[in-house]
Amino acid sequence: MNEKRIYMDHAATTPAHPEVIGAMAPYFSDIFGNPSSIHSFGQEARSAVEEAREKVASLINAKKEEIVFTSGGTESDNFAIKGVAFANSKKGNHIITTPIEHHAITEPCEFMKTLGFDITYLPVDGYGMVDPEDVKRALTDKTILVSVMHANNEIGTIQPIDEIGRITREAGVYFHTDAVQTAGAIPVDVNKMNVDLLSISAHKLYGPKGIGCLYIKKGTKMVPFMHGGGQEKNRRGSTENVPGIVGFGKAAEIAVKELDARQAHLLPLRDKLIKGLSEKIDHSLLNGHPTKRLPNNISMCFEFVEGESMLLNLDMEGIASSTGSACSSATLEPSHVLLSIGRPHAIAHGSIRFSLGRMTTEKDVDTVLDVFPKIVDKLRKMSPLYKR
Amino acid sequence: MPAYSEKVMDHFKNPRNVGEIPDADGIGHIGNPVCGDIMELYIKVKDNVLTDVKFKTFGCGAAIATSSMITELVKGKTLDEALKISNRAVVEALDGLPPAKLHCSVLAEDALKGAIDDYLKKSTGKGLPGFKPHEEHPPK
């Protein structure tokens, strides 16, 4: 094992930035008030929440009033789907989405199906890309919502959200995007993107876990996600997670400052790793778009070997990664994303994702380039499918 | 990540009896790349005793560990003794498997039976009575 462990699973979660932790600390004890309380204890917590809301709004070029804090990406996605569906069911019962969304979108959609909603899954090409023309074709007078993720968490492909947004806006249909992988990683601008709803999770951008937000464009007809004490302008009852919100605000503030530097740091590392692995390992395939791609995502399939055994071998070397293999899923089915882009089951079985972050160094990339081909070689020697 | 026992990790890190036997007396080939893992088990038989056993596996940590363990358990045993070793015995010898990985042990048992079936067909013209490989995946 290497002396230093190498974390290449930033798409799963990121460590909180030290400044984030510092910003949160006072809000557990010294400034502990309930933001709904009128006394000074409450009011100092209230102002911290509103300051954080401003910072999160700046990250995506939104207005402060359009940010609703949630418990994270899954809640934001559920809120977007169910909130729009329940509030607009008189207008229609049709929702359009893609087959490569996160389960936090597909599962609520499948649930809405049981309540009488129709769900259309748009086709995607071999890179996982949606054709905006397909969105146009799928719209009916019953369509109330389109949800297409900004960038895919497994294969990194970035969707043409602006163009899709132009189409939905012209048609007067609400448009949601899951920006969990993109906020803090690439520019996210709700106005340029023409979206009405957008999900973010703080722990993917060096903030704390258990906090996120849903951007809701002013005037969007929604039912509340939780009925309760009227918090978040009646959109979501529940006493605010003040330390989490403050940490999210700090993480957003840092992301705004560091955005260009983050991309400039990660792009060459990503491309070096993709190129190196493709050259060093035969029968390897890149998943997702080669250039319209998250700056930190390396997703590849290596034929004749299985993902979990690659992941375990990497872990033994102190390198953290992820896989879409059937063996690592509870259903024993390979990743729905890899199947949707046309990877046969046997090839999807051999998938590995490395996702880089702000602490990743070129030395880390070189270590993976040194270690990983040996792992694939060792496993292929064991594989009945690999005949040299 | 599944919680594997130390024994499983030991057999995964240092699998025993990996490879092919070029002049094998029997070969068991179980599984299908369309649904997942594939196991190939090679046996050498002399005077009704398994004198050599080797395997090749395309699969996860549990698939590799169960392949390795079954070769250890049956090597040097008579055919009758080897056939009494069930998938459960393989799991026990590995100090257990996560529930979602139990199907891997069934694959190992089937690969062994498949190899013995192949050997019997070649040597006696009749296969292993009642041998029918399980479905690779448990019914959902």
Side-chain angles (χ1 to χ4, degrees):
Chain A
M1 162 118 49
N2 296 293
E3 294 154 32
K4 182 191 138 212
R5 289 191 299 166
I6 296 175
Y7 184 76
M8 291 203 178
D9 201 12
H10 289 83
T13 192
T14 62
H17 192 291
E19 283 181 41
V20 166
I21 300 166
M24 290 171 73
Y27 292 90
F28 289 100
S29 50
D30 295 348
I31 313 172
F32 65 90
N34 185 326
S36 298
S37 301
I38 295 167
H39 49 62
S40 64
F41 292 84
Q43 287 314 297
E44 54 197 32
R46 166 60 56 206
S47 58
V49 166
E50 296 315 316
E51 202 183 304
R53 200 187 303 279
E54 189 84 54
K55 288 171 181 168
V56 171
S58 320
L59 177 65
I60 58 174
N61 196 21
K63 293 190 195 80
K64 182 173 165 289
E65 311 76 58
E66 296 172 316
I67 302 297
V68 174
F69 288 115
T70 65
S71 64
T74 295
E75 183 185 321
S76 297
D77 285 350
N78 270 269
F79 188 2
I81 301 289
K82 294 173 191 168
V84 167
F86 287 131
N88 298 275
S89 57
K90 284 215 177 78
K91 187 196 163 197
N93 65 343
H94 181 222
I95 297 170
I96 299 170
T97 186
T98 83
I100 63 165
E101 297 298 308
H102 192 278
H103 291 299
I105 289 293
T106 49
E107 291 302 315
C109 283
E110 287 300 304
F111 172 68
M112 294 317 290
K113 215 189 231 177
T114 68
L115 300 182
F117 284 79
D118 288 329
I119 312 293
T120 297
Y121 291 98
L122 297 167
V124 293
D125 68 13
Y127 295 133
M129 196 70 85
V130 172
D131 183 347
E133 287 304 309
D134 284 328
V135 177
K136 199 182 259 178
R137 278 190 281 271
L139 289 168
T140 72
D141 56 357
K142 295 269 181 240
T143 309
I144 51 171
L145 179 68
V146 175
S147 182
V148 177
M149 70 201 315
H150 191 191
N152 184 268
N153 51 311
E154 291 187 38
I155 60 172
T157 297
I158 301 170
Q159 302 292 350
I161 295 298
D162 319 10
E163 284 179 60
I164 297 170
R166 266 196 293 277
I167 291 164
T168 52
R169 192 136 297 171
E170 203 184 295
V173 170
Y174 290 140
F175 182 32
H176 167 256
T177 191
D178 176 333
V180 165
Q181 293 294 332
T182 52
I186 59 172
V188 175
D189 181 326
V190 292
N191 296 313
K192 277 194 195 144
M193 290 160 83
N194 304 309
V195 293
D196 303 288
L197 300 139
L198 180 143
S199 304
I200 306 181
S201 172
H203 74 98
K204 310 283 190 185
L205 57 132
Y206 308 97
K209 292 170 182 64
I211 188 80
C213 76
L214 181 66
Y215 157 79
I216 305 175
K217 188 182 162 65
K218 195 164 181 276
T220 306
K221 234 176 112 192
M222 302 275 284
V223 299
F225 188 69
M226 292 203 281
H227 298 84
Q231 287 90 347
E232 298 297 284
K233 291 204 161 50
N234 247 335
R235 302 269 202 203
R236 186 200 192 251
S238 178
T239 296
E240 294 84 345
N241 171 2
V242 180
I245 289 170
V246 169
F248 185 12
K250 182 49 95 175
E253 186 187 2
I254 299 167
V256 169
K257 266 190 282 184
E258 286 188 356
L259 189 64
D260 291 344
R262 281 182 190 173
Q263 296 180 86
H265 165 233
L266 290 173
L267 273 169
L269 297 180
R270 176 196 78 183
D271 291 340
K272 182 175 185 178
L273 193 46
I274 291 174
K275 186 162 177 278
L277 292 176
S278 310
E279 283 170 4
K280 286 182 170 210
I281 305 173
D282 59 287
H283 293 85
S284 57
L285 304 155
L286 178 67
N287 300 314
H289 200 279
T291 55
K292 288 169 189 159
R293 178 180 199 93
L294 286 170
N296 75 336
N297 174 290
I298 296 99
S299 167
M300 297 179 75
C301 286
F302 301 94
E303 291 184 63
F304 321 119
V305 284
E306 188 278 326
E308 189 206 87
S309 40
M310 287 190 274
L311 185 151
L312 287 172
N313 272 287
L314 281 162
D315 191 46
M316 290 178 329
E317 301 285 340
I319 300 163
S321 63
S322 159
T323 174
S325 155
C327 291
S328 69
S329 81
T331 55
L332 298 172
E333 284 292 323
S335 141
H336 66 290
V337 176
L338 296 173
L339 296 179
S340 296
I341 62 168
R343 294 280 186 249
H345 284 233
I347 290 177
H349 217 42
S351 71
I352 279 281
R353 178 191 69 187
F354 298 103
S355 46
L356 317 179
R358 52 194 292 283
M359 304 301 279
T360 307
T361 63
E362 183 159 16
K363 195 164 159 264
D364 295 339
V365 169
D366 290 338
T367 303
V368 173
L369 284 174
D370 177 47
V371 166
F372 190 63
K374 291 177 198 158
I375 290 173
V376 174
D377 194 48
K378 175 184 154 190
L379 291 170
R380 279 182 176 171
K381 281 195 178 119
M382 237 185 268
S383 169
L385 301 177
Y386 190 62
K387 312 282 183 201
R388 270 152 302 176
Chain B
M1 178 114 104
Y4 285 138
S5 70
E6 275 177 38
K7 273 257 180 72
V8 172
M9 286 311 288
D10 176 40
H11 277 262
F12 173 67
K13 280 185 213 172
N14 309 295
R16 282 56 146 181
N17 307 307
V18 176
E20 297 172 17
I21 302 176
D23 58 343
D25 297 317
I27 302 174
H29 181 104
I30 297 289
N32 186 326
V34 174
C35 23
D37 298 346
I38 300 178
M39 232 175 251
E40 245 171 42
L41 203 102
Y42 300 79
I43 55 171
K44 251 342 239 183
V45 185
K46 201 179 167 197
D47 302 331
N48 219 32
V49 170
L50 291 162
T51 54
D52 199 9
V53 185
K54 283 198 188 304
F55 81 91
K56 280 198 153 186
T57 290
F58 165 62
C60 63
I64 289 170
T66 52
S67 313
S68 168
M69 181 51 90
I70 204 162
T71 61
E72 274 218 320
L73 290 177
V74 302
K75 211 166 159 178
K77 298 271 195 314
T78 66
L79 293 183
D80 283 346
E81 285 167 337
L83 285 168
K84 285 196 188 112
I85 292 170
S86 65
N87 71 306
R88 195 166 296 184
V90 177
V91 174
E92 274 167 23
L94 287 167
D95 292 339
L97 279 176
K101 298 287 186 179
L102 286 173
H103 70 283
C104 299
S105 65
V106 179
L107 201 60
E109 184 190 317
D110 281 350
L112 174 69
K113 285 189 174 152
I116 294 176
D117 177 66
D118 183 46
Y119 162 72
L120 291 175
K121 271 185 194 144
K122 282 174 185 160
S123 55
T124 68
K126 265 164 98 181
L128 188 61
F131 172 67
K132 222 174 93 192
H134 298 268
E135 288 294 314
E136 188 183 347
H137 287 177
K140 285 190 186 132

